[in-house]
């Protein structure tokens, strides 16, 4: 038990929560500005979580109480663990060497699965419908996500994220591979809102039709945990995309060199800025400009178009590499 | 230390037989001009997530059990926003037989039949309540301004209760034809007497 372990065990989750909530606040603010509103202050998500933690936690009469109470914790834990696998620019991932992209794929699934199980255990028709939709959506978007990760494994001959973050993927392939990678990137960007349950793929939590779906029975502390896990996962998912596709460091990009401690700080901030830009592009803009899909539309979109796109990208990458 | 309960208010919109005028106002305060979200107010679809109920309409008799359910489903602490003349006191339906007639009458039923204490209530009159009035309510919620309203005791003390019961009986008696008025004979010097 070294000092670093303690820092990773306590500091990282706290950092993850703060960053996740901060990005959520920026996201809400920008979304409001896009619809020419003033929008809530950026620290609003912190107040929301604080309020939810103060409020009473209701467990419905016909819920399976222990599953109902455990699932928010599982969801938050899986998001936190996900964060521990992602390298922050040149700062190494805390759990580096203990898992790879496949584990990340599982952790991404685990959070959605926890929400679905929590929804089923709530014993409310709205929550059940939401949980079923979540399962269907999960089955649809897992395939393109897996294809993207396979493409990376083909290029690097490794599933390890730190190897991938070390050299930018664009330098390893030629022009054909670039087109393939662009297709993979597009597929991943389309999967992102579905993975994060944001519009236009928040079918499982549709407010207007099924009253927030699988979260409809959650309140107080449990809801706060889901809120936090959503915030942390949004950050982690976008950070993962940055680590996969845009691992360019500040010194590489601008040809500047710094001494040891300064460079860590600058690279960390550079990484956060990259994540913020991608977050706005992939989540905020999409969520503000599109209306919700129906479940079968979303399913068809993923199984046919996005899948074909991702497969095409994979074939092009494979042609280049083999 | 900010009071987070006042900084973030999630509202569940409950229509208890309104004419839709107030409902449209509840929705249109989230549009760009009034922009309710800047006070941290958010419309949520499930009462379990909510801190406040935006109640519109005079509460029809058929809606009473549902409104009670919704109020029960809200986790503590809870607030009720009575939006519109109807919700505040019945409005144009105040003596119609199909409606309870406003939130105050409803609270009486809540107290007598369900044994629940009425939650904190904010009255937002108007037919329909203007977006400005709703923003005023948001100001009250966020503790920026105080509600201008006469104080009223909702809790009736026991001896007062007894006294009131007796008074009611007497008043009813006076109203009925069978009441025999007590004749008070005033004795005094009459004009022209010796
Ligand atoms: S107060 Fe007026 S607008 Fe509102 S529900 Fe009643 S009648 Fe309709």
């Amino acid at each position: 038990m070294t000092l670093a372990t303690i820092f990773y065990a306590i500091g990282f989750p706290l950092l993850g929560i703060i960053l996740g909530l901060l990005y959520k606040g920026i996201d809400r603010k920008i979304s409001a500005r896009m619809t020419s509103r003033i929008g809530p202050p950026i620290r609003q998500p912190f107040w929301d979580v604080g309020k939810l933690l103060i409020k009473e936690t209701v467990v419905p009469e016909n819920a399976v109480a222990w599953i109902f109470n455990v699932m928010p914790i599982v969801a938050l834990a899986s998001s936190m663990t996900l964060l521990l696998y992602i390298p922050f620019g040149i700062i190494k991932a805390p759990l580096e060497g203990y898992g790879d992209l496949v584990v990340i794929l599982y952790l991404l699934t685990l959070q959605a699965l926890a929400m679905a199980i929590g929804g089923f255990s709530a014993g409310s028709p709205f929550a059940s419908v939401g949980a079923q939709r979540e399962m269907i959506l999960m089955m649809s978007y897992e395939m393109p996500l897996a294809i993207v990760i396979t493409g990376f494994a083909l290029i690097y001959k490794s599933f390890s994220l730190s190897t991938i973050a070390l050299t930018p993927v664009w330098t390893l392939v030629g022009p054909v591979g670039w087109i393939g990678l662009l297709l993979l990137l597009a597929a991943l960007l389309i999967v992102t809102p579905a993975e994060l349950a944001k519009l236009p793929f928040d079918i499982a939590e549709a407010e207007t039709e099924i009253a927030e779906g699988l979260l409809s029975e959650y309140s107080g502390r449990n809801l706060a945990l889901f809120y936090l896990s959503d915030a942390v996962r949004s950050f982690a998912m976008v950070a993962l995309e940055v680590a996969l596709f845009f691992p360019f460091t500040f010194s590489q990009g601008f040809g500047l060199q710094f001494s040891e401690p300064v460079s860590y700080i600058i690279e960390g901030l550079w990484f956060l800025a990259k994540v913020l830009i991608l977050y706005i592009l992939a989540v905020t803009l999409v969520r503000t400009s599109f209306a919700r899909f129906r479940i079968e539309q979303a399913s068809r979109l993923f199984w046919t178009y996005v899948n074909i796109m991702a497969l095409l990208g994979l074939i092009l990458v494979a042609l280049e590499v083999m | 230390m900010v009071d987070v309960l006042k900084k973030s208010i999630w509202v569940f919109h409950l229509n208890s037989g309104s004419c839709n005028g107030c409902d449209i106002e509840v929705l249109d305060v989230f549009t760009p001009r009034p922009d309710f979200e800047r006070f941290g107010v958010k419309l949520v679809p499930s009462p379990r997530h909510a801190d406040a109920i935006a109640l519109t309409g005079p509460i029809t008799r058929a809606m009473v059990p549902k409104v009670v359910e919704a109020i029960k489903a809200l986790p503590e602490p809870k607030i009720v926003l009575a939006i519109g003349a109807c919700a505040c006191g019945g409005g144009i339906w105040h003596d119609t037989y199909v409606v309870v007639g406003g939130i105050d009458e409803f609270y009486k039923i809540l107290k007598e039949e369900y044994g629940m204490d009425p939650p904190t209530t904010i009255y937002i009159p108007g037919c329909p309540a203007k977006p400005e009035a709703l923003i005023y309510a948001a100001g009250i919620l966020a503790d920026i301004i105080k509600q201008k309203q006469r104080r009223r005791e909702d809790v009736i003390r026991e001896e007062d209760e007894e006294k009131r019961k007796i008074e009611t009986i007497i008043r009813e008696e006076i109203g009925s034809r069978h009441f025999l008025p007590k004749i008070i004979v005033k004795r005094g010097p009459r004009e022209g007497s010796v």
Side-chain angles (χ1 to χ4, degrees):
Chain A
M1 194 84 158
T2 56
L3 210 64
T5 327
I6 295 171
F7 169 72
Y8 287 141
I10 297 165
F12 236 75
L14 269 181
L15 193 71
I17 287 175
I18 291 171
L19 283 175
L21 290 180
L22 188 70
Y23 277 48
K24 212 180 169 83
I26 297 174
D27 163 67
R28 276 177 78 176
K29 189 85 186 169
I30 289 176
S31 171
R33 300 301 322 196
M34 279 176 72
T35 49
S36 66
R37 288 182 290 123
I38 294 171
I42 285 174
R43 51 196 189 285
Q44 185 66 44
F46 292 90
W47 288 336
D48 285 352
V49 170
K51 176 209 66 181
L52 285 175
L53 287 175
I54 292 177
K55 288 207 75 160
E56 183 193 7
T57 307
V58 182
V59 178
E61 280 163 23
N62 45 358
V64 188
W66 71 272
I67 301 183
F68 187 80
N69 286 326
V70 158
M71 280 309 144
I73 300 171
V74 173
L76 184 61
S78 66
S79 311
M80 288 293 181
T81 323
L82 180 63
L83 200 67
L84 291 181
Y85 277 103
I86 292 163
F88 270 50
I90 56 167
I91 304 162
K92 284 205 169 66
L95 279 183
E96 191 194 300
Y98 291 98
D100 45 25
L101 277 176
V102 181
V103 177
I104 289 176
L105 201 60
Y106 278 127
L107 284 172
L108 278 174
T109 317
L110 186 61
Q111 206 257 7
L113 205 62
M115 283 177 79
I117 294 172
F120 277 128
S121 71
S124 140
F126 285 134
S128 298
V129 172
Q132 278 160 12
R133 288 184 182 189
E134 175 78 36
M135 302 298 276
I136 294 172
L137 199 64
M138 236 161 73
M139 282 190 268
S140 320
Y141 67 67
E142 275 320 307
M143 178 83 175
L145 200 61
I147 292 175
V148 173
I149 284 174
T150 319
F152 272 85
L154 265 181
I155 295 174
Y156 286 95
K157 307 268 181 300
S158 152
F159 274 118
S160 160
L161 198 57
S162 35
T163 324
I164 291 171
L166 225 51
T167 33
V169 66
W170 309 91
T171 59
L172 290 180
V173 289
V176 182
W178 279 1
I179 301 172
L181 278 176
L182 279 178
L183 284 174
L184 287 184
L185 175 61
L188 191 59
L189 286 184
I190 298 176
V191 169
T192 311
E195 180 72 57
L196 304 179
K198 294 273 156 65
L199 272 168
F201 299 112
D202 68 336
I203 309 160
E205 292 159 29
E207 293 99 34
T208 34
E209 337 158 14
I210 49 169
E212 204 84 358
L214 31 79
L215 294 182
S216 63
E217 287 295 334
Y218 278 101
S219 61
R221 182 176 48 88
N222 286 339
L223 188 62
L225 288 180
F226 271 133
Y227 194 96
L228 282 178
S229 94
D230 173 53
V232 173
R233 191 168 66 143
S234 307
F235 178 79
M237 178 79 190
V238 180
L240 174 69
E241 281 163 24
V242 168
L244 285 181
F245 281 98
F246 310 103
F248 311 104
T249 54
F250 191 76
S251 44
Q252 274 172 0
F254 297 91
L256 298 170
Q257 288 301 328
F258 300 98
S259 55
E260 255 308 88
V262 182
S263 88
Y264 271 102
I265 293 171
I266 286 188
E267 292 297 346
L269 289 179
W270 171 243
F271 180 76
L272 290 183
K274 279 191 293 185
V275 173
L276 182 61
I277 293 170
L278 197 65
Y279 195 104
I280 292 167
L281 288 179
V283 179
T284 314
L285 290 189
V286 177
R287 145 181 122 81
T288 317
S289 6
F290 286 97
R292 188 178 302 116
F293 279 113
R294 284 200 309 274
I295 182 71
E296 93 272 7
Q297 283 173 332
S299 215
R300 193 179 309 128
L301 179 83
F302 281 118
W303 271 113
T304 54
Y305 304 113
V306 180
N307 239 342
I308 288 171
M309 199 159 75
L311 276 174
L312 209 64
L314 184 67
I315 291 169
L316 289 179
V317 167
L319 278 180
E320 180 83 22
V321 172
M322 300 251 178
Chain B
M1 183 70 197
V2 283
D3 192 347
V4 280
L5 280 175
K6 292 187 174 137
K7 292 282 182 191
S8 145
I9 297 148
W10 291 1
V11 178
F12 172 66
H13 177 201
L14 181 66
N15 178 340
S16 69
S18 124
C19 76
N20 257 329
C22 285
D23 301 304
I24 288 170
E25 295 304 327
V26 169
L27 296 181
D28 83 9
V29 288
F30 290 92
T31 53
R33 236 166 91 85
D35 188 20
F36 233 30
E37 210 189 349
R38 67 195 145 129
F39 301 110
V41 179
K42 198 170 106 175
L43 216 53
V44 290
S46 160
R48 293 258 191 245
H49 303 182
D51 311 302
I53 283 188
L55 187 98
T56 59
I59 312 178
T60 57
R61 292 206 182 274
M63 269 306 275
V64 169
K66 282 96 177 173
V67 177
V68 173
E69 279 298 308
I71 289 183
K72 265 189 201 161
L74 241 65
E76 293 287 345
K78 46 192 158 193
I79 317 167
V80 171
L81 309 172
I83 293 173
C86 286
C88 287
I92 51 174
W93 324 104
H94 75 280
D95 54 359
T96 316
Y97 63 95
V98 286
V99 304
V100 172
I103 196 90
D104 289 338
E105 298 299 316
F106 171 72
Y107 283 160
K108 277 180 202 156
I109 297 176
L110 196 67
K111 186 114 185 116
E112 278 161 20
E113 286 179 24
Y114 297 88
M116 283 167 66
D117 281 331
T120 321
T121 310
I122 290 178
Y123 298 85
I124 308 161
C127 180
K130 279 184 168 185
E132 289 88 336
L134 288 162
I135 289 176
Y136 175 76
I140 294 168
L141 280 177
D143 235 4
I144 303 167
I145 29 178
K146 285 262 169 293
Q147 179 154 32
K148 285 181 191 140
Q149 185 192 16
R150 244 181 290 129
R151 223 180 111 75
R152 208 190 46 221
E153 288 268 330
D154 270 331
V155 190
I156 301 157
R157 261 178 286 121
E158 210 138 277
E159 56 263 35
D160 292 355
E161 179 87 339
E162 278 308 303
K163 226 166 97 187
R164 209 197 49 171
K165 260 187 201 157
I166 293 166
E167 274 175 9
T168 331
I169 293 168
I170 291 175
R171 221 176 300 128
E172 274 170 9
E173 287 289 290
I174 292 171
S176 73
R177 297 192 286 124
H178 308 295
F179 182 72
L180 296 175
K182 202 157 119 198
I183 300 161
I184 301 166
V185 186
K186 277 191 179 170
R187 290 177 196 281
R190 228 189 283 167
E191 223 179 301
S193 67
V194 183

